[in-house]
């Protein structure tokens, strides 16, 4: 029994338990033990209950409510638990939380948000921090959103919030008025009209489609001579099944970024990332295939799919996602692993086509060779791709990777050949800057015995990274493996935005908008008690990674890289080239850098990636 005696070790409420104690105990029954948040008087009842809670319950204090939302999303992505949970205070706390919750909603991660609120007695009185949270959260938590007004509601509100979050893989939210949190708990509501008695047992899911539909899919795929597969986060945990079905079909496999670790990127038939940040062999795979199998992916860029008309099958656990991105002929609602096993049985034995695999392998090998040559090109002062290429050669098998949004995402997608023994994630569909550090923190709480590497641009580092390093300083001594390596890609520019403006609008980089201050991130790390490493010459890169990956404490690598490094899409269009040239002609401040770095990179990417 805990100090106050409110909740027993088996989750039973005792005399004196409050509504907040009941909420914590009921969430524990659903596997929720970690609460990412920031305290405030609007949730004093909840934080008091967590302080009294027995066993595993813990409050993880981040520096800002937005990062609490990111961390709750990442908690599920990195396998920390079945449901992520964010706990924030009323008013501004609830407002700040929204962006991190949208990350979870768009990437289909089950998260329950607990938001403090004005006391019931003060509602409607323009009380301080009184915000209409039900209206504010109606979009992000529209699948299930409720306010707790009476102690009898705890069981059914928590149960429904968790069940809905899991079933629909989305965000739900409970609004918790301050005064209700401290009311006496009512663990057993009356057996009377208007009260509910609900279950905390998770619901089973449909895992395998009907045999007739699987047979249709097998018939469609069996005739393919050039099969392409696109796999996403729905295939995480189905590595063996993806490999076996790819081998049976003789397929090449492209990966959405959220599904990166579902396959081994060292395999010659794995073409790597797809989309704007993807590889040329992935684009060629889709351009030249005669069959398409999409598994657990919602990749939105239609121009990187095959032209409509290629026979296609899609597998997804959510039927609403089927046929959403490509005109598929057979749509299978089911979990990836058992559905692929069933599909393999229906395909039966056979001799897969080998010529296609040889073509895919040749294209992929040529691409990787070209990327190595690009990374080896000189730059001013350091080529950022060289930094990522050096990391790729040193990646521990059990590494966890947290990636922020920007050019760091592009270099990650093109240079890190990850494998299924690793964990890696990022803000997928929201593409929000500021996710890298909270993702890394959440990953370390999920797996404190594994090394973490966060790949972050200087814009995102200034947005919230420098603050969340304080969170790392607060907790790192609790982690069995102290390695928390932060690479700051310091180009003094919001480089991805600059290149989007040049290639998309044909206008120069805007001096009042894109440049960011140069900050000595490595010195800030030393102030916090970490190791801080400055990289400003190419010959310092290897030693920096070796030092960071063997350190006995967190490390920040401040890599001063060339702002003119060009991120060429795998299918660089005439219009994009024309717009970039127009930006130079209109007086782009870095016109010399664009010519110096852009032309060689474009030549290597578009010409050097083809097999000889």
């Amino acid at each position: 029994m805990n100090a106050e005696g409110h909740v027993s070790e088996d989750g039973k409420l005792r005399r004196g338990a409050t509504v907040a104690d009941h909420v914590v105990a009921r969430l524990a029954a659903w596997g929720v033990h970690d609460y990412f948040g920031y305290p405030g008087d609007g949730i004093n009842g909840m934080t008091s209950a967590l302080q009294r809670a027995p066993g595993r319950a813990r409050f993880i204090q981040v520096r800002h409510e937005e990062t609490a939302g990111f961390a709750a999303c990442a908690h599920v992505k990195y396998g920390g638990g079945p449901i992520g949970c964010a706990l924030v205070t009323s008013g501004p706390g609830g407002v700040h939380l929204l962006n991190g919750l949208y990350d979870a909603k768009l990437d289909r991660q089950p998260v329950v948000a607990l938001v403090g609120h004005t006391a019931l007695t003060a509602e409607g009185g323009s009380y301080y921090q009184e915000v209409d949270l039900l209206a504010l959260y109606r979009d992000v938590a529209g699948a299930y959103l409720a306010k707790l007004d009476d102690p009898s509601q705890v069981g059914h509100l928590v149960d429904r919030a968790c069940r809905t979050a899991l079933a629909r893989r989305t965000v739900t939210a409970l609004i918790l008025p301050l005064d209700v949190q401290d009311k006496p708990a009512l663990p057993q509501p009356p057996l009377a009209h208007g009260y509910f008695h609900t279950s905390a047992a998770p619901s089973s899911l449909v895992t395998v489609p009907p045999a007739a539909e699987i047979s249709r899919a097998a018939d469609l795929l069996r005739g393919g001579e050039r099969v392409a597969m696109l796999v996403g986060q729905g295939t995480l945990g189905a590595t063996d099944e993806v490999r076996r079905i790819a081998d049976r079909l003789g397929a090449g496999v492209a990966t959405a970024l959220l599904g990166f670790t579902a396959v081994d990127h060292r395999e010659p038939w794995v073409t790597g990332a797809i989309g704007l940040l993807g590889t040329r062999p992935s684009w060629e795979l889709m351009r030249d295939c005669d069959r398409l199998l999409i598994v657990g992916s919602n990749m939105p860029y239609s121009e990187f799919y095959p032209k409509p008309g290629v026979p296609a099958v899609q597998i997804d656990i959510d039927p609403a996602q089927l046929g959403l991105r490509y005109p598929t002929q057979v749509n299978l609602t089911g979990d990836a692993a058992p559905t692929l096993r069933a599909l393999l049985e229906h395909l039966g034995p056979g001799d897969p086509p080998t010529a296609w695999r040889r073509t895919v392998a040749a294209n992929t090998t040529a691409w990787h060779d070209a990327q190595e040559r690009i990374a080896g090109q000189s730059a001013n002062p350091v080529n950022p791709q060289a930094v990522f290429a050096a990391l790729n050669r040193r990646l521990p098998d059990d590494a966890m990777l947290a990636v922020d949004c920007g050019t760091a995402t592009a270099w990650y997608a093109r240079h890190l050949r990850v494998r299924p023994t690793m964990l890696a994630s990022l803000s997928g569909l929201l593409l929000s800057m500021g996710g890298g550090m909270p993702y890394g923190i959440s990953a370390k709480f999920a797996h404190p015995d594994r090394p973490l590497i966060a790949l972050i641009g200087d814009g995102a580092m200034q947005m919230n990274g420098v603050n969340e390093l304080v969170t790392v300083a607060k907790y790192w001594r609790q982690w069995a493996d102290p390695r928390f390596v932060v690479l700051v890609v310091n180009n003094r520019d919001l480089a991805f935005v600059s290149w989007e403006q040049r290639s998309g609008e044909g206008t120069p980089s805007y001096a009042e908008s894109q440049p960011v201050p140069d900050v000595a991130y490595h010195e800030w790390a030393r102030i916090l008690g970490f190791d801080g490493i400055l990289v400003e010459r190419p010959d310092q890169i290897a030693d920096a990674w070796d030092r960071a990956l063997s350190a006995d404490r967190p490390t920040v690598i401040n890599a001063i890289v060339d702002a003119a490094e060009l991120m060429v899409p795998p299918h660089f269009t005439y219009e994009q080239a024309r717009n970039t040239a127009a930006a130079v002609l209109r007086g782009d401040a870095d016109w010399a850098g664009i010519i110096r770095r852009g032309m060689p990179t474009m030549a290597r990417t578009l010409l050097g990636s083809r097999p000889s």
Side-chain angles (χ1 to χ4, degrees):
M1 188 169 64
N2 60 341
E4 297 293 331
H6 289 183
V7 185
S8 65
E9 292 291 340
D10 61 359
K12 302 291 186 181
L13 298 182
R14 295 183 177 275
R15 186 185 301 276
T18 66
V19 165
D21 291 314
H22 193 184
V23 170
V24 171
R26 197 71 174 187
L27 284 167
W30 285 92
V32 175
H33 304 286
D34 287 349
Y35 296 73
F36 297 91
Y38 201 80
D41 64 347
I43 53 170
N44 277 346
M46 285 297 299
T47 52
S48 295
L50 287 174
Q51 189 176 10
R52 294 189 295 263
R56 294 175 51 200
R58 60 183 174 182
F59 183 82
I60 299 167
Q61 183 204 83
V62 294
R63 311 272 61 76
H64 192 279
E65 290 91 353
E66 179 187 57
T67 56
F70 280 124
C73 173
H75 178 78
V76 184
K77 288 184 173 183
Y78 288 95
I83 302 172
C85 185
L87 172 61
V88 302
T89 194
S90 55
V95 174
H96 287 164
L97 179 62
L98 287 172
N99 191 55
L101 294 183
Y102 273 106
D103 182 45
K105 179 179 180 178
L106 268 62
D107 282 354
R108 300 166 63 194
Q109 300 300 316
V111 169
V112 174
L114 305 175
V115 187
H117 188 48
T118 304
L120 289 178
T121 55
E123 278 190 358
S126 298
Y127 202 59
Y128 78 97
Q129 296 189 337
E130 185 178 2
V131 172
D132 188 348
L133 293 172
L134 290 173
L136 185 68
Y137 275 69
R138 190 160 290 126
D139 180 47
V140 73
Y144 188 70
L145 170 65
K147 182 157 67 75
L148 177 60
D149 292 326
D150 187 88
S152 65
Q153 296 176 292
V154 170
H156 78 262
L157 293 190
V158 172
D159 289 348
R160 192 170 178 191
C162 292
R163 192 181 311 282
T164 304
L166 285 170
R168 300 189 184 179
R169 300 198 63 80
T170 192
V171 175
T172 60
L174 298 179
I175 311 303
L176 309 176
L178 176 61
D179 51 349
V180 178
Q181 295 172 38
D182 287 323
K183 288 184 176 181
L186 186 63
Q188 290 297 327
L191 189 61
H193 186 74
Y195 293 92
F196 297 100
H197 297 257
T198 57
S199 167
S203 305
S204 64
L205 297 174
V206 176
T207 58
V208 181
E213 292 302 302
I214 294 176
S215 181
R216 286 183 60 217
D219 290 343
L220 185 148
L221 293 169
R222 193 180 289 113
E225 293 292 322
R226 303 185 307 278
V227 180
M229 290 178 63
L230 169 58
V231 302
Q233 66 175 335
T235 59
L236 297 175
T239 295
D240 185 59
E241 288 80 5
V242 169
R243 178 188 56 77
R244 290 171 61 202
I245 204 82
D247 285 345
R248 170 61 184 84
L249 296 171
V253 178
T255 58
L257 287 178
L258 288 175
F260 233 39
T261 58
V263 292
D264 190 332
H265 288 250
R266 299 169 300 183
E267 294 282 3
W269 46 268
V270 174
T271 60
I274 191 171
L276 287 173
L277 305 184
T279 71
R280 187 174 181 89
S282 288
W283 180 73
E284 292 166 333
L285 180 76
M286 296 296 160
R287 181 195 63 188
D288 298 334
C289 70
D290 66 358
R291 296 289 190 279
L292 175 63
L293 173 58
I294 306 168
V295 189
S297 174
N298 189 31
M299 196 278 293
Y301 296 121
S302 59
E303 67 269 32
F304 290 95
Y305 287 92
K307 290 182 179 179
V310 172
V313 174
Q314 186 174 1
I315 300 170
D316 202 285
I317 196 71
D318 182 358
Q321 301 297 316
L322 294 168
L324 182 65
R325 304 301 188 192
Y326 190 79
T328 46
Q329 280 71 46
V330 182
N331 292 317
L332 302 177
T333 302
D335 193 24
T339 302
L340 288 175
R341 288 195 295 269
L343 179 59
L344 194 64
E345 291 180 9
H346 280 264
L347 283 168
D351 295 322
T354 57
W356 176 240
R357 272 266 175 111
R358 287 196 299 269
T359 299
V360 170
N363 290 343
T364 302
T365 299
W367 165 266
H368 287 307
D369 290 345
Q371 296 311 296
E372 282 288 333
R373 291 192 292 271
I374 291 170
Q377 293 173 349
S378 61
N380 182 24
V382 172
N383 185 337
Q385 302 198 59
V387 180
F388 283 75
L391 170 61
N392 181 59
R393 293 188 286 270
R394 293 165 171 80
L395 272 178
D397 283 337
D398 62 344
M400 299 187 294
L401 297 159
V403 188
D404 219 298
C405 181
T407 54
T409 322
W411 312 142
Y412 158 74
R414 295 186 174 190
H415 288 285
L416 298 196
R417 300 174 74 175
V418 301
R419 36 205 182 270
T421 56
M422 300 175 182
L423 296 171
S425 199
L426 71 165
S427 177
L429 283 180
L430 188 62
L431 292 173
S432 177
M433 290 173 61
M437 281 296 292
Y439 268 46
I441 291 165
S442 189
K444 283 297 281 190
F445 275 102
H447 305 283
D449 58 342
R450 298 178 65 164
L452 183 284
I453 304 163
L455 307 171
I456 303 176
D458 50 358
M461 198 65 188
Q462 291 180 23
M463 184 174 284
N464 63 18
V466 290
N467 291 330
E468 291 305 331
L469 279 177
V470 178
T471 304
V472 177
K474 176 180 173 69
Y475 290 110
W476 73 269
R477 289 178 178 83
Q478 301 178 16
W479 299 329
D481 187 326
R483 289 175 294 174
F484 191 110
V485 183
V486 179
L487 169 67
V488 183
V489 184
N490 185 354
N491 53 24
R492 292 79 59 207
D493 187 66
L494 298 176
F496 203 99
V497 179
S498 295
W499 283 113
E500 285 177 322
Q501 186 165 331
R502 289 164 178 145
S503 64
E505 301 290 332
T507 55
S509 177
Y510 182 24
E512 299 302 317
S513 169
Q514 276 89 266
V516 297
D518 190 4
V519 174
Y521 306 100
H522 60 294
E523 293 183 4
W524 173 231
R526 293 168 188 166
I527 290 172
L528 293 173
F530 306 157
D531 193 8
I533 304 172
L534 176 65
V535 171
E536 50 188 351
R537 300 193 315 271
D539 61 359
Q540 297 173 320
I541 296 172
D543 179 69
W545 281 121
D546 291 339
R547 181 170 146 191
L549 291 171
S550 61
D552 63 352
R553 64 192 60 223
T555 303
V556 173
I557 300 175
N558 181 15
I560 312 299
V561 302
D562 196 331
E565 190 67 12
L566 180 61
M567 198 290 293
V568 180
H571 178 45
F572 196 60
T573 66
Y574 170 76
E575 182 181 2
Q576 289 169 324
R578 183 187 63 191
N579 287 341
T580 303
V584 173
L585 294 174
R586 288 170 181 162
D588 195 291
D590 200 14
W591 64 269
I594 296 172
I595 295 173
R596 172 176 50 80
R597 289 301 302 138
M599 300 311 294
T601 300
M602 193 181 306
R604 286 288 191 190
T605 301
L606 300 184
L607 300 177
S609 63
R610 293 191 176 278
S612 56

